[in-house]
Amino acid sequence: MIKIPFNRNKKNTLSEIQQPIKSRWWKFTDSRVRWRHSLLVKYLSLVVCAMLLFFFLMPLVTIIIGIPMYWNDQAKEKENPYANGQTLMTTWHADTKKLKGDNEQAIEKHLVSWKAKLPKATVFWVDAKGVTRKMLPEQKSLPKQWTAQDSISFMKKSFEGDPFTVVSFIGGENAKEGFVAIQIPRKLMTYDGQQPLYTSEYAFAIMMTLTLLFVLFSWRFFYRIQRRLRELERAMAMTDEHGIPIMISVAKEDEIGQLQHSFNRMISELRASRKREQEEEELRKQLIANLSHDIRTPLTTIRTHVHTIQQENDVLQERSKTSLHVIVQKCEDLAHLVDNLLSYTLLSAKRYTFQPQAVDVVRLARESAAAWYPMWEKHQFEVEVNLPSAPIIWNVDQMWMKRILDNVYQNVVRHAASGRYIRIEMNELPNGISELVIQDKGPGMKVASSNKGAGIGLSIIEMMLKEMSLEQEVYSSSSGTTLVLTPKRGNIKNTNI
Amino acid sequence: MKPTILYVEDDLEIGEWTNQFLKDKGYEVDWRKSGENALHEADSYSLVILDVMLPGLDGFTVGQRLKKSAPHIPVLMLSARSSIDDKLQGLNFADDYLTKPFHPDELAARIEILLRRYEKEEEECITLHHIHMYPKQNRIVDSRTNEELTLTGKQFHIFRYMIQNANQILTKEQIYEGVWGDPYIEGDKTLQVHIRYLREKIELDPSKPLIIETIRGIGYRVRR
């Protein structure tokens, strides 16, 4: 009796072996993979790169692009005569201060010269009585005769308004000799090509580019992994002539690389075991072949010596003759049994040369019948051969087919000789299927034959038929046995190709 | 002259018996227990019988070398190795493969067939029923009238092929391929026509042929 604890122990050991090595989350890579080769590290560095780009590179790029633009704007502004309102105001005040209210020509000259200097500016002169004396260019909105109301509303409108307006009294603050004003549209004073450093469009474009880049790199990263996995999968499906997958070359030492290494290790183990298996098979084959040889050799001696005795036909008693006949029969049976044992071993181990090809079965059946005819003649068989003249092609191994037919004919001679009849026929049925019929008029298969040990022979035939996709039907009665061989669908299909 | 057979067999009991049996059948037998020293003088034999499992060089090797140096000598493998693979390997070079235990009469018959097929000097005269055939002179004579029968080239060829393979049933494919040397084309009636004319010339009653026997559904046979 086996103790339960023993069993349990054994099971525990097994399950321990089968348990996977515990993975620890803080050890983020496999110990066999160097951290710099790890896919995880690679992807993490991709993410970190993207972050760095977002927070450092984006401002950097903006500055790099922004600085030349800023300087450019500065330079442009320097060239603009309207730009500096303060300077303009001071100059205007200073110029006006020098004028006298009665010197009308000087005032006009002052206005014209300013107009020439700043062509887009508007200038006008209002004298001490509040009459608009000169406008460059003409302005409808200005009153001809200024009232106090007009002056106040003008001042109110102009203060910090657009256009930029400078009003100065002719001859100084207290001269009361009228005033001149200059108006400059504010948009002339600033350079409108200038962009603020951080506009939303810029930021958006850069962000989009970075995001796209990140997506692209991520996609490439995973695409490569996917491709390698697919390659591995394909390599697993591909097999060499022994049905073993082919070794793959490992290009990268990352997690997939480890998988590929394991795969290769598995293949070499598989190869080794296949080789071992073949060696064992070879050994077994040799052993049985030798055994067969060693049994057949003494059988030959017995057989030949019996023949010597049989030659003394005249002096032999009837009983002795029968005994000798039985000895010969048994020798042959034994030889066959050994033969079948050998064949069975090889066949069940699929170590038989099997070369299916398109074979004209009509010809094969005819030649086989020709070989067996003398035997049938000797047993006084009535032989009926109905073979068509056109060939019928089956996809079979010629040697196997011959062997099957030999076996059938041999069985007919051995077990159905009393019927003294054999019919071999091949028909092409209307549905395109062909059949080979072998019929005898023996006592049928139910009757126990004197020859035992036929089972293994039948198994061999069954195996061969199965391998060649042939179907066997046997109709047996006390008045005879009919055997019908037909190719299965698979066989026909092969033939058509 | 008796045909000489080189017989290589290491098993003493079988060897001794077969040696005697072949001698009784009227052959000159040279029995060797290994194949090595037999290789050189193979030329002087009419037939070689080889066992496979021999000490030293195995029968397959001996046979292959023999066939290379003297392809005109028939080789019969007589072995207890019975697997199809062995037979195929043997039949790659050998003319016949017989497995042990063998029926002595079968061995004799096969030797007979091989010798006839390889006959260097054809028999002077072959008699079949009322016909005398002189293969060397390509002549066929009706023994009753002593009249010569004229056959066409093909007819003679077919007839000689059948005599060379006497006592065997030959299918029409075998005869066609043996005589014409081309693969048999299905539905070809040439052979049947030739045989019909041949029979008209050599048979007493062409509708009841005695020399070229028809095996219904299988082929033809010439018995000697």
Side-chain angles (χ1 to χ4, degrees), chain A residues 302-341:
Chain A
I302 298 171
R303 175 74 189 83
T304 47
H305 284 280
V306 169
H307 187 263
T308 312
I309 304 170
Q310 276 177 327
Q311 294 311 103
E312 328 255 294
N313 209 14
D314 315 335
V315 291
L316 285 176
Q317 301 278 314
E318 213 40 55
R319 271 181 62 195
S320 308
K321 279 183 190 169
T322 318
S323 297
L324 289 174
H325 185 74
V326 169
I327 292 172
V328 169
Q329 194 69 54
K330 290 299 153 193
C331 274
E332 274 167 17
D333 287 351
L334 200 53
H336 256 285
L337 188 67
V338 170
D339 200 11
N340 281 340
L341 190 68

Side-chain angles (χ1 to χ4, degrees), chain B residues 40-51:
Chain B
H40 312 290
E41 25 197 318
D43 239 356
S44 53
Y45 300 104
S46 328
L47 181 110
V48 179
I49 299 174
L50 278 176
D51 186 16

Side-chain angles (χ1 to χ4, degrees), chain A residues 296 308 353 363 377 389 391, chain B residues 17 82 85 100 177 186 221:
Chain A
R296 281 169 157 267
T308 312
T353 350
R363 184 175 177 162
E377 217 172 22
S389 56
Chain B
W17 189 90
S82 59
D85 284 345
K100 292 179 196 166
E177 281 161 19
E186 213 33 69
R221 175 168 63 181

Side-chain angles (χ1 to χ4, degrees), chain B residues 109-149:
Chain B
R110 291 197 190 211
I111 290 171
E112 192 70 20
I113 287 169
L114 284 181
L115 283 177
R116 205 177 300 130
R117 200 188 299 162
Y118 275 85
E119 222 149 30
K120 264 180 272 177
E121 285 165 40
E122 284 179 292
E123 291 152 276
E124 276 304 319
C125 175
I126 300 163
T127 309
L128 296 163
H129 295 271
H130 64 284
I131 292 250
H132 288 313
M133 183 185 185
Y134 302 94
K136 273 188 192 169
Q137 302 151 24
N138 286 358
R139 222 153 57 88
I140 294 175
V141 174
D142 188 332
S143 63
R144 297 163 308 165
T145 57
N146 248 348
E147 246 175 73
E148 195 173 330
L149 301 171

Side-chain angles (χ1 to χ4, degrees), chain A residues 253-283:
Chain A
E253 295 293 332
D254 52 14
E255 284 88 339
I256 296 179
Q258 291 307 315
L259 183 62
Q260 287 169 329
H261 276 307
S262 302
F263 177 65
N264 283 351
R265 263 197 302 279
M266 199 178 75
I267 289 173
S268 49
E269 261 168 45
L270 210 61
R271 287 242 164 89
S273 95
R274 181 64 61 91
K275 197 173 163 235
R276 218 161 35 235
E277 197 183 298
Q278 272 173 358
E279 280 166 2
E280 271 165 26
E281 204 62 67
E282 194 57 40
L283 205 69

